[in-house]
Amino acid sequence: MQRVRRYNRSIVRRRYSEGCVMEKVFIVQFDWSTPDAESVDLYAFTKYEDAYDKFKELICAERNPEMSWVGDIEFDEGGYPIEDHYEFEFEDNNSNESEVWWHITDKNDWYQHSFIDLRVLEVK
C-alpha cells in the first residue's frame, strides 16, 4: 500500500512562491504597412541577446532600399531622418533586459509605417 502524504496547502504555496523564478520571453514584433500591403511578424526568443540581434537585423533590412520604402530615406549621423515629413522615434539602450523600439511613419501617408519592437514578457 502506498503512503499518501498530505501537506498544508498554504505552506506548499508559500514555498513555491518563494522559490519561483519568473521566466521571460523576448518578442520581436515587426508591424509594417504600405499603401498596398501590411503585416505583423512576430519572433519569439528565450535569450535577450538573440532577440536584440533580430531587432537590429530587421532595422538593417528596413534601411535597405531594395527591401523597404525606408531605404530611400536619408538619415543624419544621429540616426534621425533628415527630411521633416517623417515621424520617427527610437529607444535603443541595449540594457539586456528592457524593451527597445524603432518606429517610423510617413506623415504624408499615415498608412505607410514600420514599427520594430523588442518586448519583454514574463511567463506565468
Side-chain angles (χ1 to χ4, degrees):
M1 179 180 218
Q2 272 188 317
R3 280 181 122 172
V4 176
R5 288 191 147 177
R6 294 177 192 245
Y7 295 99
N8 182 329
R9 288 184 181 169
S10 63
I11 293 172
V12 172
R13 283 191 196 120
R14 194 174 331 121
R15 286 185 182 159
Y16 176 76
S17 64
E18 288 171 0
C20 182
V21 176
M22 292 299 267
E23 292 192 35
K24 294 181 180 178
V25 63
F26 306 96
I27 305 293
V28 176
Q29 178 177 310
F30 180 28
D31 174 352
W32 63 270
S33 178
T34 62
D36 59 347
E38 63 185 52
S39 183
V40 176
D41 303 326
L42 298 173
Y43 306 90
F45 299 90
T46 56
K47 294 181 182 174
Y48 184 91
E49 297 80 16
D50 296 337
Y52 186 77
D53 289 345
K54 184 63 173 181
F55 172 77
K56 296 304 268 187
E57 176 187 315
L58 290 170
I59 292 171
C60 287
E62 279 299 283
R63 304 244 349 233
N64 180 347
E66 295 177 10
M67 298 287 289
S68 170
W69 64 276
V70 178
D72 296 326
I73 300 171
E74 189 175 345
F75 288 82
D76 65 17
E77 295 161 2
Y80 291 89
I82 292 175
E83 294 182 34
D84 196 17
H85 68 273
Y86 297 103
E87 186 173 294
F88 181 71
E89 63 176 23
F90 74 98
E91 173 63 45
D92 187 4
N93 59 24
N94 189 16
S95 67
N96 215 20
E97 64 187 40
S98 64
E99 297 183 349
V100 293
W101 60 87
W102 189 88
H103 296 175
I104 189 162
T105 304
D106 186 342
K107 291 181 186 177
N108 295 331
D109 184 354
W110 289 101
Y111 291 105
Q112 189 157 272
H113 69 265
S114 292
F115 301 153
I116 303 170
D117 299 273
L118 191 163
R119 312 267 333 262
V120 180
L121 303 174
E122 289 183 352
V123 178
K124 294 184 179 188

